[in-house]
Amino acid sequence: MTRNFGRRPPTIALMEQKEVLKALQRDHAAELKLAAERLAGTARHTEIIPSPTLSEMTGHEILLKPENLQVTGSFKIRGAYNKIASLTDEELARGIVTASAGNHAQGVAYAARERGAKATICMPTITPPLKVDATKAYGADVVLHGDVFDEAAAYAAKLSEEQGMIFVPPFDDYEVICGQGTIALEILEDVPNVTDIVVPLGGGGLGAGVALAVKTFKPEVRVIGAIPEGSPAYKNSLAAGRVMSADQVVTSAEGVAVKRPGDLPFALLNEFLDDIVTVSERDINEMILLMLEKHKLVVEAAGAVSLAALEHLNLRSRKFASAEGPHVVVPIMSGGNIDTVTMGAVIQKGMIARGRIMNFEVELPDTPGQLVKVATLLAKERANVIALDHDQFKASGHYTNAVSLGVTVETNGPDHIDRILEALKEAGFQPKRIY
């Protein structure tokens, strides 16, 4: 159900509340334009990509904002560079420290290198090696600490206090938020008839920047947040009207795996976010695979969260004064930094979910010709065999001298799987589907 989450003052600690209120009183239009000027020539103006497949699936015009094609592979370069570009030479000389699950790390490392500053990045131990290596490649020192982002962030804050380095927050900072908001400025410029923008929510910096820019320059456009069901902090916080920490975060989308939303992003989203949608891990995996197949685009799990939300949007209540018709929806694909092992697992899960791969076991009499019989039957049903496991020690004893045959086949969907299993049964076998 669509709800207006705004008009409720967030509960923030006293010092934080003062800082938040001070940020909320700044000249947002001027600051967003300044961020766009700073980023010119550094961040890429990513070009909108129409998606006929998603448009057909949803009944609305879907136009992709591919920040996975951004410098460093994610939107994070925008906020990091805008923040670092706002620092004085004296501040830069003290060095920069931050915490990140990966993408912000690369953004800070890249921006620090461009500005000639030394960067130290604290990352949780769950960070994919691809992101760790990419961060080091930009010249930053990487410190792995803690199991989740929040623990890495606490350690980064400690280093900042002890060593005097400038802490660059990944999302709870006005300059960072304005940098992320330049994405919305580009969308409004490139898609003047946009009706809805969908954005993944983790710490909230991207969502807050997009919402701030949209409501500053074109408030009739709706901003919709998307979260994985295993990362409920924003949903709980918006429902309560104050920042709430999640008890636990369990999601493959490590880029949005944040236990506690930022105070400033929450204050902005509590005021400006139009709706929030929860998506499943299966939805996320499906969209990663769909982007590969249909658009030849690599999108990480966090970047696919906004895509996964498209089929769950409640847009029916929206009325347009100009004309009736389908909505023009722009989901932001926030990043594409996914390691090959994870990508392989996602592809396999997606293939299984679509009925494109099946694995089954069947017991056979340990007599010559049985394996050929099964193989011939599968060939007749046009099932391409990927793997065979012929193991007499796994047999349950239903037959004397029986062997267990495990088979993985490539299939064309659920109906094809049903036909294969039925053909095996008609031939006298008792197949047991594993997945």
Side-chain angles (χ1 to χ4, degrees):
M1 182 178 67
T2 302
R3 297 178 55 189
N4 181 358
F5 291 108
R7 318 302 178 258
R8 291 190 297 248
T11 301
I12 307 168
L14 184 59
M15 280 301 293
E16 292 172 340
Q17 186 179 46
K18 287 181 178 179
E19 295 170 4
V20 168
L21 292 175
K22 184 178 179 181
L24 294 178
Q25 293 168 2
R26 292 174 69 167
D27 186 341
H28 304 315
E31 294 286 356
L32 286 161
K33 290 177 181 177
L34 176 59
E37 292 172 7
R38 286 172 175 155
L39 289 169
T42 296
R44 181 175 296 137
H45 183 132
T46 50
E47 296 183 7
I48 294 293
I49 300 173
S51 179
T53 301
L54 291 176
S55 297
E56 184 177 346
M57 284 173 56
T58 62
H60 301 286
E61 184 178 0
I62 306 299
L63 303 172
L64 308 175
K65 181 62 171 172
E67 286 294 295
N68 57 312
L69 302 180
Q70 185 57 260
V71 177
T72 73
S74 92
F75 75 98
K76 287 286 192 175
I77 181 64
R78 296 175 183 266
Y81 191 86
N82 189 51
K83 174 64 176 180
I84 292 173
S86 73
L87 299 177
T88 65
D89 290 341
E90 184 275 330
E91 289 171 323
L92 290 172
R94 290 160 56 186
I96 291 165
V97 65
T98 193
S100 171
N103 287 333
H104 177 65
Q106 293 176 59
V108 168
Y110 181 94
R113 187 185 69 181
E114 292 293 294
R115 297 279 289 160
K118 184 178 183 303
T120 300
I121 316 291
C122 299
M123 308 175 85
T125 55
I126 62 168
T127 305
L130 172 74
K131 294 183 178 181
V132 175
D133 293 342
T135 303
K136 290 179 179 178
Y138 289 118
D141 294 333
V142 175
V143 178
L144 296 177
H145 184 90
D147 295 326
V148 294
F149 162 78
D150 304 77
E151 294 172 1
Y155 189 69
K158 179 183 177 184
L159 289 180
S160 173
E161 184 176 346
E162 291 176 350
Q163 301 182 26
M165 293 184 284
I166 300 296
F167 183 70
V168 178
F171 47 80
D172 205 0
D173 179 88
Y174 186 78
E175 275 74 29
V176 169
I177 288 171
C178 284
Q180 321 303 23
T182 59
I183 295 175
L185 298 184
E186 293 177 8
I187 293 173
L188 296 179
E189 176 185 344
D190 296 341
V191 190
N193 61 334
V194 61
T195 60
D196 306 84
I197 298 175
V198 187
V199 56
L201 298 180
L206 175 59
V210 168
L212 179 63
V214 167
K215 301 309 177 182
T216 298
F217 293 104
K218 199 170 184 180
E220 67 271 21
V221 174
R222 290 186 356 134
V223 179
I224 301 167
I227 60 170
E229 57 190 7
S231 185
Y234 253 104
K235 184 177 181 180
N236 296 343
S237 296
L238 291 167
R242 60 189 178 89
V243 175
M244 300 278 288
S245 296
D247 293 331
Q248 62 177 354
V249 177
V250 183
T251 176
S252 62
E254 82 279 347
V256 290
V258 177
K259 278 190 174 183
R260 186 185 188 280
D263 292 306
L264 180 54
F266 174 78
L268 291 166
L269 288 166
N270 195 48
E271 179 70 20
F272 295 137
L273 192 68
D274 294 289
D275 201 2
I276 191 168
V277 174
T278 301
V279 303
S280 70
E281 293 296 307
R282 178 171 176 170
D283 291 337
I284 294 169
N285 288 335
E286 280 277 316
M287 284 301 164
I288 295 174
L289 186 57
L290 185 144
M291 284 297 110
L292 274 174
E293 289 185 333
K294 302 299 183 182
H295 288 286
K296 316 309 175 193
L297 290 171
V298 175
V299 182
E300 65 184 274
V305 170
S306 56
L307 301 172
L310 294 175
E311 290 193 285
H312 306 290
L313 302 181
N314 179 9
L315 305 179
R316 290 170 296 179
S317 61
R318 177 67 188 264
K319 303 294 183 183
F320 296 104
S322 56
E324 294 184 1
H327 290 237
V328 179
V329 184
V330 180
I332 297 172
M333 300 190 299
S334 56
N337 293 318
I338 182 170
D339 65 87
T340 52
V341 173
T342 302
M343 177 63 77
V346 166
I347 291 172
Q348 185 176 33
K349 289 177 183 177
M351 297 280 279
I352 292 169
R354 293 183 180 187
R356 299 274 299 279
I357 294 177
M358 175 183 63
N359 176 272
F360 67 90
E361 289 183 353
V362 62
E363 288 196 349
L364 309 174
D366 192 11
T367 57
Q370 294 298 313
L371 182 58
V372 172
K373 187 176 179 181
V374 172
T376 302
L377 188 151
L378 291 173
K380 182 179 178 181
E381 294 298 327
R382 303 187 68 80
N384 183 37
V385 176
I386 299 174
L388 285 173
D389 180 21
H390 190 264
D391 190 344
Q392 67 184 112
F393 299 108
K394 288 177 66 178
S396 64
H398 291 166
Y399 302 100
T400 303
N401 297 324
V403 297
S404 175
L405 179 66
V407 185
T408 304
V409 292
E410 186 178 3
T411 51
N412 292 325
D415 292 342
H416 190 203
I417 289 173
D418 291 341
R419 290 199 305 273
I420 294 167
L421 295 175
E422 187 59 33
L424 287 164
K425 291 174 184 175
E426 290 176 358
F429 299 108
Q430 294 181 309
K432 177 185 177 183
R433 184 178 176 184
I434 306 303
Y435 58 76

